[in-house]
Amino acid sequence: MKRLFFIILFVTAAVTSYGQSWFNVGSYNVRYDSSKDKAKGDGWEARSKELFDMVNYERWEIFGAQEVLHNQLQDMLNNLDNYDYIGVGRNDGAKKGEYAPIFYRKDRMRCLDKGWFWISETPDVAGSKGWDADQCRICTWGRFEDKSTKWKFWLFNLHLDHRGVVARREGARLILSKIKEMCGDEPYILTGDFNVDQNNEIFDILTGSDMLVDTYKSAKHRMAPNGTVNRFKADFGTESRIDHIFVSPQFKTHEYGILTHNYWVPIEISEEDKRAIEAGVEDVVCFKAKMISDHYPVVARVELPRLRAPQDWAQYGRYEQKNAEVGKRPKVVFMGDSITEGWYRFRPEFFHENNYLGRGISGQVTAQMLARFRSDVVNHRPRKVVILAGTNDIAMNQGYVSLDHIFENIVSMAEIAKANRIKVILCSVLPAERYGWSWEISSEDAIRSIDELNAKIREYAAKNRLKYADYYSVMADENKGLKKEYQRDLVHPNKEGYLVMEQVIQEIL
């Protein structure tokens, strides 16, 4: 009996281990809610339930969607089991126009950072239309952690223009440059409706870059009985694949599928069927196959090598090459997490014009920053260091850690800097009333923890005659959250928020 129990336990552990090492990523153009479609019997209200049932059955861990209007987004959130999303409407960066959202299962994926840009010559301008595009187009991105393996990866989701050839070509190049700029050495995925198939020059630009692998080609097993467009016709056949899932070379693709699901609706029976019924033939009912969308969903089962996951816990490699390329001694190094990393992304000129270095890594806690403090700060011999840290510890990105230990890690960084004759500026943690990726932390706990940690940092700075950058006071609203005019989400500043932070820190520097 004991031996049998051991065998069952071993097999269960092995299955669980395998189940945790891969995940399914999808891309699905759900077709926008159209009155013309409704008149033809293909309206959103007729097919949405079938879409919800399919996604809930397939249980993709993460997927990019396209052509999602705000009412459809709300319907999907209300009917998809245990999914959350990131994204905004493309027309105004809020709720107007089509979204290109990323949906993810909350029990498997944690969103560490998110954002979006427009596929145009002015990517930061909401609603901007690029080159010869017919419509404004948006790309949504997120940085995620797989809760099972602790791997961190990026996902970019887009919908390229359907008419503008130049817009598609330049949009593809923009995507490649953004991935290279943002992702560093971390793995990434690109999903979307590209409006070009596998025989198009823009497909070649993407796959010929050595940055992207087509999961259709790299999959060990493939089920693709049709292309990805059906035009709401069950008998429409094509080899053209305009919806794609690309991955970085780190990924291994096990399976790839184009899911040709449909549903059935009764139709008026023919005269022949009527005669059959009159003759006593039973159960004569005619049905017609209907499409859930005018595109088929694409799904790939991908895996990241598990053995590599724990090797660079502190992410020393993130800035290794950039550290080696730094020539002129910087005046200031900004050490931090996603807020510092985003600062450089939104305002690179602030760093370049002032000879500042940004060394923020999204998702990091203070222990990770302390581990890389010498390589990313001290070795540059800056005159000053700006330390902004602690919010991810409070969010429990690496598990629970007490406020005292968070504070001690910040103090240790300050003392290392002082020992190397680097002047220290300590920063308040920014206000945050919730952590969207850590739902278990209540608003009350988040606000209380930030207040207490800031009090410790402020008191230490005063006692040791260090400068203290109080971002909190100028960025908090009446509820002790981040002011709406300064936020991308409840935690991260937008460009206007960073401009406020620049004013605070420049007075000190």
Side-chain angles (χ1 to χ4, degrees), residues 307-361:
L307 294 178
R308 293 183 56 193
Q311 288 183 354
D312 191 9
W313 170 79
Q315 299 184 64
Y316 295 107
R318 181 64 182 279
Y319 289 106
E320 185 175 11
Q321 182 175 349
K322 289 186 177 180
N323 286 341
E325 295 171 352
V326 173
K328 185 179 179 181
R329 178 185 178 187
K331 291 181 180 179
V332 182
V333 174
F334 286 69
M335 166 60 80
D337 47 41
S338 59
I339 296 174
T340 299
E341 185 178 22
W343 200 337
Y344 181 84
R345 188 178 303 129
F346 276 92
R347 291 278 295 156
E349 62 272 23
F350 171 70
F351 290 83
H352 295 315
E353 293 172 0
N354 293 291
N355 190 23
Y356 298 161
L357 283 185
R359 289 298 181 261
I361 296 182

Side-chain angles (χ1 to χ4, degrees), residues 268-280 284:
E268 185 177 351
I269 61 176
S270 65
E271 291 298 322
E272 181 181 354
D273 290 328
K274 289 180 181 179
R275 287 194 293 271
I277 294 173
E278 292 172 356
V284 177

